[in-house]
Amino acid sequence: ETVSLGGSWAAGIFSLALCSLAALYLVIWLSANLVLFLRKKGNRKKEEGFPITREMRSGDGLITGCSSILGTRHYQQDRVLTDPAVVAGEPLAIVCDGMGGMDNGERASDHCVRGFYEGYCKKRREADMESPTSVMEDLARQLDREVANFEDDSGNRIFSGTTLVAAAIARRRLYWISVGDSRIYLYRGGALHQLTRDHNLALRLQLRVEQGELTLKEAKDFENKEALVSYLGADGLEFLDSGGTG
């Protein structure tokens, strides 16, 4: 009995070990195949041109563009593009977030990322380039008009839109622009500093309160304060912020 009991105990331990190994193998297999699946999905999106993602080094810094395929949509409406050297040692980074509540948000964001990049690079490589912020603002207004004039195959207007944030180094200074509620943060002195405002209904209400047109209570009674009031495709930008820092 003692030997038999010992054999049963050993068999139980052995069976438990086998089950544990099988479970561990299953977890490893699922993880490996999930990663492979995500990579395949990412590669397929990239082959289709969506999203634009790059990771490049520029001098002592690292500019990184990231994208995610997580979410309920089967496609990505955000676009990011980084270039470590538009001219020697002067990087550029652009992010556009297509508006999901409108038609063709992915078309708007892709169009604006590409258009801003090409327009800025062309201007920056000119020896007599004017203020980088002026160039950025002109490009934003131009892209706003272009997205506002989107049409379908039948010539009907498509109501589309996207946010825009871009940051560039030029002449050893940082220049940036923002339309919408995508954000730019400056990391300095061990802390993050938000450079941009969210161009939504809450901002409009806040300004009206400051101007004495509304009371705080009246402003608080408004709903949907996160709704954007300024974005590329609005056919007229209520808010457009830009700046530079040394």
Side-chain angles (χ1 to χ4, degrees):
E1 284 183 352
T2 303
V3 174
S4 176
L5 286 172
S8 298
W9 177 82
I13 293 296
F14 182 71
S15 299
L16 179 62
L18 282 178
C19 291
S20 299
L21 286 173
L24 179 61
Y25 175 80
L26 180 61
V27 169
I28 293 173
W29 183 87
L30 286 172
S31 299
N33 282 274
L34 178 60
V35 170
L36 180 61
F37 172 72
L38 292 178
R39 284 178 177 171
K40 284 182 177 179
K41 286 198 72 175
N43 289 339
R44 179 175 61 81
K45 298 288 183 182
K46 188 174 182 180
E47 288 170 1
E48 295 171 353
F50 306 121
I52 305 169
T53 58
R54 301 181 184 178
E55 180 175 299
M56 304 179 181
R57 284 200 174 273
S58 175
D60 297 329
L62 177 65
I63 300 177
T64 304
C66 303
S67 69
S68 170
I69 60 171
L70 301 178
T72 57
R73 297 189 186 92
H74 65 279
Y75 56 89
Q76 178 63 269
Q77 291 191 322
D78 303 344
R79 301 292 183 269
V80 55
L81 191 153
T82 63
D83 189 331
V86 174
V87 297
E90 296 191 355
L92 169 67
I94 313 162
V95 173
C96 286
D97 181 359
M99 298 174 65
M102 305 180 76
D103 295 329
N104 297 98
E106 73 282 5
R107 176 183 170 187
S109 58
D110 188 66
H111 177 85
C112 290
V113 160
R114 295 177 189 272
F116 191 94
Y117 175 74
E118 292 169 1
Y120 182 86
C121 288
K122 180 180 178 181
K123 284 288 187 180
R124 186 64 193 97
R125 288 163 182 163
E126 296 176 358
D128 59 345
M129 176 187 181
E130 62 263 41
S131 166
T133 51
S134 296
V135 171
M136 290 179 169
E137 290 174 3
D138 289 344
L139 286 170
R141 294 189 180 96
Q142 175 186 331
L143 292 168
D144 171 54
R145 292 190 295 269
E146 291 176 2
V147 175
N149 289 324
F150 274 1
E151 295 181 348
D152 61 20
D153 295 337
S154 300
N156 300 314
R157 183 181 177 186
I158 297 174
F159 293 94
S160 188
T162 181
T163 69
L164 165 73
V165 287
I169 301 296
R171 300 164 187 152
R172 304 180 67 84
R173 293 190 65 196
L174 170 68
Y175 296 90
W176 57 269
I177 188 170
S178 167
V179 180
D181 61 355
S182 297
R183 295 177 176 178
I184 299 175
Y185 290 86
L186 175 65
Y187 182 75
R188 174 176 286 173
L192 285 174
H193 306 275
Q194 185 175 338
L195 299 181
T196 58
R197 303 181 296 176
D198 294 346
H199 298 158
N200 52 26
L201 178 58
L203 175 59
R204 181 192 286 169
L205 294 172
Q206 175 190 332
L207 295 177
R208 292 186 64 187
V209 169
E210 292 174 358
Q211 294 165 2
E213 299 176 1
L214 285 176
T215 65
L216 277 174
K217 184 181 183 307
E218 289 172 333
K220 288 180 180 179
D221 289 339
F222 277 80
E223 298 180 354
N224 200 24
K225 295 186 183 67
E226 300 304 313
L228 290 185
V229 296
S230 191
Y231 55 88
L232 301 187
D235 199 13
L237 301 177
E238 179 175 347
F239 298 107
L240 185 160
D241 294 337
S242 62
T245 180

